[in-house]
């Protein structure tokens, strides 16, 4: 017989889904106690008024947990160091925010002696997997309640109907009902006119973290990023905390129309979905890190790391952060980053990020060897023997083909 649910910890954003879940839980689980947990991963104004709203709709208390530093240093930076990008465009903003949130929710659920953890992810999305895999990693016996897989509500319009019937205040309307996810790293937009890939995104209408390239200044912005072992530590020589650094890059990137990605991605649950992502600071950071690695990593390590990046991105996207494979891949990445220290100067102009110079004391680039000028280091005659050996398989096959034609 299933244990009676007396206390539920809810992953609470205050958005449409979780706003109606509190009264729904109380209606369907014998007036159980609902403890709401909101994780601050950089939503800014979205956190305003959450406590009052949560309590008014039936929660017994609300935790607001500041996870910004942990989010950046334990999730964002390792993913960036790996060079992980999902399907060539998506910088995983929603994906790696879920494990850090779910991990803290489990900690609170254990502290509160909760019988279950509840989330507002839909049965069509990736987030349900990301939340639940993390819960399984830290509380394998915990019951998970996913209302979207249980209730009779079928659409966001019906959710709004439920909210209005229960006098739950909402910050959205039926006309501005994009599905969004915001954190310190990015802002995603899905739904409405974006559901048809034939529609051009109305950037001037939806952008919040910056402007379109057309509206960016006609003058370029220059900045220099300093890295220590693959971690960004300063902008233009000024040391910044991880949170300050991302916030600063977001402002610079946003103002210059950087980091707007429009893509149709393959969801983990099997369907394709279209979204527009804003990742201004993250796009700058990835570009700078890649430029620095180009002079600090040897060819074979760099090539192998590129292959690994695809798998790393899949693991993050699929919610498999807390797995032996992800930890093993991160150990490899950490080793590669030991020499990735130096300065990268960038020119930011109308959505473009242009390399304006890179230097490192660990640089493997040798001007003395690479020069087209006169030098004594490289004996060009050596190339002949190399080419003969390197091209031997081609020559042997060509000779064989000639014999066959005779």
């Amino acid at each position: 017989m299933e244990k009676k649910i007396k206390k539920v910890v809810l992953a609470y954003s205050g958005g449409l889904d979780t706003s109606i879940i509190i009264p729904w839980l109380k209606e369907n689980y014998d007036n159980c106690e609902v403890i709401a947990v909101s994780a601050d991963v950089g939503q800014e104004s979205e956190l305003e008024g959450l406590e009052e709203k949560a309590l008014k709709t039936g929660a017994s208390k609300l935790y607001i947990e500041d996870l910004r530093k942990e989010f950046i240093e334990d999730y964002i930076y390792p993913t960036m160091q790996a060079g992980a990008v999902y399907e060539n465009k998506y910088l995983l903003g929603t994906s790696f925010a879920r494990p850090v949130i779910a991990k803290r929710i489990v900690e609170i659920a254990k502290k509160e002696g909760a019988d279950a953890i509840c989330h507002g992810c839909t049965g069509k999305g990736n987030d349900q997997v990301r939340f639940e895999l993390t819960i399984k990693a830290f509380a394998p016996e915990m019951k998970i309640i996913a209302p979207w897989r249980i209730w009779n509500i079928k659409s966001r319009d019906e959710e709004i109907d439920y909210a209005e019937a229960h006098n739950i205040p909402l910050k959205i309307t039926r006309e501005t009902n994009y599905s969004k996810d915001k954190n310190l790293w990015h802002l995603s937009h899905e739904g409405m006119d974006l559901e048809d890939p034939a529609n051009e995104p109305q950037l001037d209408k939806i952008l919040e973290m910056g402007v379109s390239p057309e509206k960016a200044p006609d003058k370029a912005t220059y900045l220099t990023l300093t890295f220590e072992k693959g971690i960004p530590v300063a902008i233009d020589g000024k040391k910044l905390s991880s949170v300050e650094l991302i916030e600063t890059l977001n402002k610079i990137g946003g103002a210059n129309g950087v980091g707007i990605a429009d893509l149709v991605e393959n969801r983990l649950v099997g369907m394709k979905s279209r979204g527009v992502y804003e990742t201004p600071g993250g796009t700058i950071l990835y570009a700078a890190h890649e430029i620095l690695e180009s002079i600090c990593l040897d060819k074979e390590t760099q090539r192998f790391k590129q292959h690994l990046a695809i798998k790393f991105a899949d693991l993050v996207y699929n919610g498999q952060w807390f797995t032996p494979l992800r930890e093993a891949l991160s150990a490899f990445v950490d080793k590669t980053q030991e020499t990735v220290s130096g300065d990268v100067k960038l020119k930011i102009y109308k959505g473009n990020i242009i390399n304006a110079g890179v230097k490192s004391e660990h640089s493997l680039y040798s001007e003395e060897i690479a020069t087209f000028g006169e030098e004594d280091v490289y004996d060009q005659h050596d190339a002949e023997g190399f080419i003969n050996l390197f091209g031997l398989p081609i020559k042997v096959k060509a000779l064989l083909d000639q014999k066959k034609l005779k």
Side-chain angles (χ1 to χ4, degrees), residues 201-231:
Q202 301 175 59
L203 294 182
D204 292 339
K205 178 180 177 182
I206 66 175
L207 293 180
E208 296 179 28
M209 295 182 74
V211 299
S212 64
E214 295 92 334
K215 292 196 172 181
D218 292 330
K219 183 180 179 182
T221 297
Y222 285 87
L223 66 88
T224 299
L225 267 168
T226 300
F227 289 82
E228 292 179 2
K229 294 187 176 181
I231 299 294

Side-chain angles (χ1 to χ4, degrees), residues 71-286:
F71 176 39
I72 297 170
E73 296 176 9
D74 294 351
Y75 299 82
I76 290 177
Y77 283 172
T79 305
M80 179 272 300
Q81 287 176 306
V85 181
Y86 186 71
E87 297 186 338
N88 300 315
K89 281 190 174 183
Y90 178 38
L91 297 186
L92 299 162
T94 299
S95 307
F96 49 31
R98 298 317 184 214
V100 66
I101 295 170
K103 181 172 178 281
R104 183 57 57 90
I105 287 170
V106 169
E107 292 167 357
I108 291 172
K110 288 181 175 180
K111 172 186 168 185
E112 289 283 352
D115 304 306
I117 291 174
C118 179
H119 64 74
C121 308
T122 74
K124 285 185 175 182
N126 302 304
D127 280 344
Q128 58 183 337
V129 181
R130 297 165 182 156
F131 268 108
E132 294 185 31
L133 293 192
T134 301
I135 295 168
K136 291 179 187 299
F138 293 99
E141 305 300 323
M142 182 69 69
K143 179 175 176 57
I144 299 170
I145 300 173
W148 268 106
R149 304 201 296 254
I150 304 170
W151 61 22
N152 295 321
I153 297 172
K154 302 299 182 186
S155 67
R156 289 176 71 80
D157 268 345
E158 289 184 17
E159 283 188 289
I160 294 174
D161 291 339
Y162 184 97
E164 290 173 349
H166 289 74
N167 298 314
I168 299 170
L170 298 173
K171 292 183 179 180
I172 63 170
T173 68
R174 295 178 197 273
E175 289 72 37
T176 61
N177 193 15
Y178 286 106
S179 176
K180 299 181 182 182
D181 177 73
K182 184 179 182 181
N183 59 45
L184 194 65
W185 186 247
H186 90 153
L187 174 61
S188 65
H189 309 266
E190 293 179 320
M192 295 182 66
D193 58 304
L194 296 177
E195 290 189 345
D196 184 351
N199 291 331
E200 179 181 1
Q202 301 175 59
L203 294 182
D204 292 339
K205 178 180 177 182
I206 66 175
L207 293 180
E208 296 179 28
M209 295 182 74
V211 299
S212 64
E214 295 92 334
K215 292 196 172 181
D218 292 330
K219 183 180 179 182
T221 297
Y222 285 87
L223 66 88
T224 299
L225 267 168
T226 300
F227 289 82
E228 292 179 2
K229 294 187 176 181
I231 299 294
V233 295
I235 298 175
D236 294 330
K238 182 181 179 182
K239 292 267 186 178
L240 297 170
S241 71
S242 56
V243 174
E244 291 170 334
L245 189 138
I246 298 297
E247 289 176 339
T248 301
L249 290 180
N250 278 339
K251 289 176 183 175
I252 295 171
N256 286 280
V258 164
I260 302 165
D262 177 4
L263 67 149
V264 174
E265 71 196 57
N266 291 294
R267 283 185 179 173
L268 175 60
V269 293
M271 71 188 74
K272 290 182 181 288
S273 66
R274 195 270 188 100
V276 173
Y277 296 96
E278 299 179 61
T279 321
T283 303
I284 294 173
L285 201 53
Y286 263 73

Side-chain angles (χ1 to χ4, degrees), residues 332-390:
F332 168 81
V333 171
D334 288 344
K335 181 65 179 176
T336 69
Q337 299 302 291
E338 289 179 357
T339 59
V340 184
S341 299
D343 295 325
V344 182
K345 186 178 181 181
L346 299 173
K347 179 181 180 180
I348 316 293
Y349 181 69
K350 288 189 177 294
N352 296 289
I353 302 170
I354 303 161
N355 181 6
V358 56
K359 60 182 180 179
S360 169
E361 63 179 14
H362 300 291
S363 176
L364 297 174
Y365 175 83
S366 170
E367 185 176 352
E368 187 180 13
I369 293 176
T371 181
F372 283 95
E374 185 177 344
E375 43 80 27
D376 299 318
V377 178
Y378 185 95
D379 187 344
Q380 298 197 26
H381 292 96
D382 292 343
E384 182 178 356
F386 166 74
I387 295 168
N388 287 336
L389 293 176
F390 189 63

Side-chain angles (χ1 to χ4, degrees), residues 306-317:
Q306 288 173 335
H307 294 297
L308 173 151
I310 295 172
K311 184 61 180 178
F312 200 105
D314 284 343
L315 292 173
V316 177
Y317 188 85

